[in-house]
Amino acid sequence: MAADWLGSVVSINCGDTLGVYQGRVSAVDQINQTISLTQPFHNGVKCLVPEVTFRAGDIAGLKILEIPEGSRRPIHNQPLEHTKILPASNHNGTGKQRPEASSAQNIPQKTDGIANDPAGTSPQPCSKTFVDRQTEGQNQPKNFRRRHNSWSSSSRYPNQVTPKKNGSKNGQHKARDDECFGEDLDEVPATDFDFEGNLALFDKAAVFEEIDTHERRGGGGGARSRGTPSERPPNYRHDENILESDPIVYRRIVVPHPGGKEYCTDSGLVVPSISYSMHKKLLSVAEKHGLTVEKRLEMSGVCASQMALTLLGGPNRLNPKNIHQRPTVALLCGPHIKGAQGISCGRHLANHDVDVILFLPNFVKMLEPVTNELNLFCRTEGKQVSNVKDLPDCPVDLVIHCLDCHENAFLRDQPWYKAAVEWANQNRAPVLSIDPPVTDQEQGVHAKWSLQLGLPLALGEQAGRVYLCDIGIPQKVYKEVGITYHSPFGCKFVIPLHSLQG
């Protein structure tokens, strides 16, 4: 009877198109020639529907994997040759065989197979059914994770063929994908993990109270004490050093005869001023040790030109896309070392695509450093004029003032000096003064910035904002003249100074 096979576990082969199904027989309809399987598996993967029904015309073969305990003993361990396989049926009605026809087959018991084969030459079971695979993991340790592969994973055993799609490459790729990504849907959790509920189980206040209690008893050694806000360790920025160091000494420069004024850098280091006599002595000792006038001129010219380029706009003004707006600088120089420093600065500016106009009066005799710097400047694209009338009538971008001298104050009475000062004050351009002298009188040219060399002089308010540049004087040269010196420049060659006295 067909009812005798209800509850049996069977494997139905529906050909290459539909594949292989496994499941437990739930119904057999003799009239409509159908068979239904519950808890079906398709090619080794559990189906999403609870039950599937097959027509006899779609069944190419049928294997009985297990018989219920009530009717017969299980035969899933029987040799493959004793398992009933239905022949393939065509679609024109010929060759059909009902599923219950297999009930007429005499299926030997397990003990019969052993008795008929005393030598143990019977073939071993061909494969493990999905029931065997489910019960197999019960004897594994807890940390064992069973891998759920598709039907192709059973192809390691004999007499089983992995279903392919007409032997094409796409079928091979799908079988390989199922091998890698096939997973039993029973092990996928139905609900998402409740993060908020799990976090609510953590009592933060109780944990901190326990830590504080442990530290008060001396267990923590006070290393992790939360304490009051004043006792907590400070919070550091990403650019601050968290390693403890020696206390910062802000007065690292000490001069024997201060100039009467003190400055400080942006980092708080105190830079005292010196008198002009100390400044002259410092340059004399440096020249004796090899820091010649030419080296000082080159160094001061580079620092002054770098500061001037920054004042002119830096990369926003000087770039290949903005060559139609080249800045113009007017350079006012006298026939002395200060003038030579200005000429050196103008040469470097001209090398950086700045339109430089040098004003230098014609003199019968000039110092050798001035002549050398002038010869180098004439090799650039800069322009030299000797008359104030040849200077531009329109405002320029920057005026560099190098007319004054520390020792020759009589130059202020010269007609060319007064004419140059008048032109600078009427041009309305900002003025940068290089190494201005200390004077009690108001300077003729009102400077916005002043650049000092080495150590500053005690300049007045008319000098504008004071900057300091490093001209390369060695530290032992400062020590030889009695100055305790530590460089305040850091990573820069030009730094701003702020007055500490009102």
Side-chain angles (χ1 to χ4, degrees), residues 27-318:
V28 178
D29 190 348
Q30 299 182 12
I31 298 176
N32 297 326
Q33 293 290 296
T34 60
I35 181 172
S36 299
L37 302 182
T38 184
Q39 300 178 358
F41 281 74
H42 179 222
N43 292 335
V45 180
K46 187 175 182 180
C47 298
L48 300 179
V49 295
E51 187 178 26
V52 292
T53 302
F54 303 91
R55 297 181 303 174
D58 297 331
I59 300 176
L62 187 146
K63 296 180 183 180
I64 301 174
L65 304 178
E66 181 181 355
I67 300 177
E69 293 292 340
S71 59
R72 292 183 178 89
R73 297 178 61 185
I75 62 169
H76 56 275
N77 290 329
Q78 292 295 329
L80 183 62
E81 60 185 7
H82 298 297
T83 304
K84 177 62 178 177
I85 303 177
L86 294 182
S89 60
N90 52 19
H91 296 280
N92 57 7
T94 60
K96 290 185 178 180
Q97 185 171 355
R98 299 179 181 180
E100 65 272 13
S102 61
S103 62
Q105 177 70 23
N106 294 327
I107 300 175
Q109 302 296 328
K110 182 177 181 181
T111 56
D112 298 339
I114 299 176
N116 296 331
D117 189 10
T121 59
S122 299
Q124 297 298 322
C126 61
S127 65
K128 297 181 181 179
T129 65
F130 79 105
V131 178
D132 297 331
R133 291 195 298 270
Q134 290 178 350
T135 59
E136 185 183 53
Q138 297 178 359
N139 298 326
Q140 299 293 343
K142 294 183 178 180
N143 57 355
F144 175 78
R145 183 180 184 272
R146 178 170 53 87
R147 179 178 180 181
H148 299 273
N149 293 331
S150 64
W151 176 257
S152 61
S153 62
S154 61
S155 61
R156 296 187 301 268
Y157 303 98
N159 300 328
Q160 290 192 353
V161 181
T162 302
K164 298 181 180 179
K165 188 180 294 184
N166 298 328
S168 63
K169 292 184 179 180
N170 293 333
Q172 297 177 0
H173 292 169
K174 185 178 185 306
R176 185 174 58 188
D177 293 343
D178 293 340
E179 176 75 20
C180 295
F181 305 106
E183 187 68 21
D184 192 352
L185 296 180
D186 289 341
E187 294 190 1
V188 178
T191 58
D192 296 335
F193 182 75
D194 187 6
F195 289 95
E196 295 182 358
N198 186 70
L199 184 61
L201 300 177
F202 175 70
D203 191 354
K204 185 190 300 184
V207 173
F208 280 126
E209 183 179 358
E210 182 181 354
I211 294 175
D212 292 340
T213 304
H214 178 69
E215 291 176 350
R216 284 194 298 268
R217 293 177 180 177
R224 298 180 57 187
S225 176
R226 298 169 64 209
T228 60
S230 60
E231 298 175 353
R232 295 177 184 175
N235 295 327
Y236 296 94
R237 299 194 311 270
H238 67 281
D239 57 346
E240 290 183 331
N241 187 10
I242 63 175
L243 300 179
E244 294 184 0
S245 58
D246 296 335
I248 301 177
V249 179
Y250 291 99
R251 289 186 176 273
R252 296 188 291 185
I253 301 177
V254 180
V255 296
H257 304 289
K261 195 171 185 179
E262 287 186 336
Y263 301 89
C264 70
T265 64
D266 290 339
S267 58
L269 298 177
V270 178
V271 181
S273 63
I274 58 176
S275 61
Y276 174 70
S277 59
M278 178 63 68
H279 177 75
K280 186 177 180 180
K281 181 180 180 181
L282 179 64
L283 296 181
S284 177
V285 175
E287 185 175 357
K288 183 182 65 175
H289 287 284
L291 187 63
T292 60
V293 176
E294 290 77 10
K295 291 183 179 180
R296 295 203 321 263
L297 292 178
E298 188 69 19
M299 195 66 188
S300 60
V302 170
C303 292
S305 62
Q306 183 63 53
M307 181 178 177
L309 291 173
T310 303
L311 297 176
L312 291 172
N316 297 324
R317 185 75 181 275
L318 298 167

Side-chain angles (χ1 to χ4, degrees), residues 467-487:
Y467 283 77
L468 187 67
C469 74
D470 183 11
I471 58 175
I473 300 177
Q475 186 174 6
K476 291 186 178 180
V477 174
Y478 286 100
K479 185 178 181 180
E480 186 172 344
V481 297
I483 298 176
T484 302
Y485 181 82
H486 192 280
S487 175

Side-chain angles (χ1 to χ4, degrees), residues 320-484:
K321 298 181 180 179
N322 198 23
I323 57 176
H324 62 284
Q325 292 182 344
R326 295 175 59 179
T328 302
V329 174
L331 202 59
L332 307 180
C333 298
H336 38 65
I337 297 298
K338 306 303 178 186
Q341 293 174 352
I343 300 174
S344 177
C345 174
R347 171 167 54 89
H348 291 291
L349 290 177
N351 291 335
H352 287 264
D353 292 334
V354 178
D355 291 334
V356 180
I357 302 175
L358 171 62
F359 168 76
L360 181 65
N362 290 326
F363 292 94
V364 178
K365 184 178 181 181
M366 289 188 296
L367 298 178
E368 182 179 357
V370 178
T371 304
N372 295 336
E373 291 295 335
L374 186 60
N375 292 333
L376 289 175
F377 177 82
C378 293
R379 301 299 184 271
T380 65
E381 296 182 357
K383 180 181 178 182
Q384 179 189 359
V385 297
S386 58
N387 196 332
V388 177
K389 296 180 180 181
D390 297 329
L391 292 173
D393 296 333
C394 59
V396 295
D397 294 279
L398 181 66
V399 174
I400 298 180
H401 171 39
C402 300
L403 294 173
D404 290 318
C405 181
H406 292 284
E407 298 176 352
N408 297 330
F410 65 93
L411 292 177
R412 292 174 175 267
D413 299 330
Q414 300 294 325
W416 61 266
Y417 181 91
K418 295 180 180 180
V421 170
E422 183 179 0
W423 176 90
N425 292 331
Q426 293 180 356
N427 191 263
R428 298 188 303 242
V431 178
L432 169 63
S433 181
I434 299 179
D435 194 15
V438 179
T439 177
D440 296 335
Q441 301 178 357
E442 290 289 334
Q443 290 187 3
V445 179
H446 303 287
K448 187 175 182 179
W449 307 282
S450 293
L451 182 63
Q452 295 284 286
L453 310 180
L455 287 177
L457 302 177
L459 300 179
E461 296 296 334
Q462 72 278 3
R465 188 173 182 180
V466 180
Y467 283 77
L468 187 67
C469 74
D470 183 11
I471 58 175
I473 300 177
Q475 186 174 6
K476 291 186 178 180
V477 174
Y478 286 100
K479 185 178 181 180
E480 186 172 344
V481 297
I483 298 176
T484 302

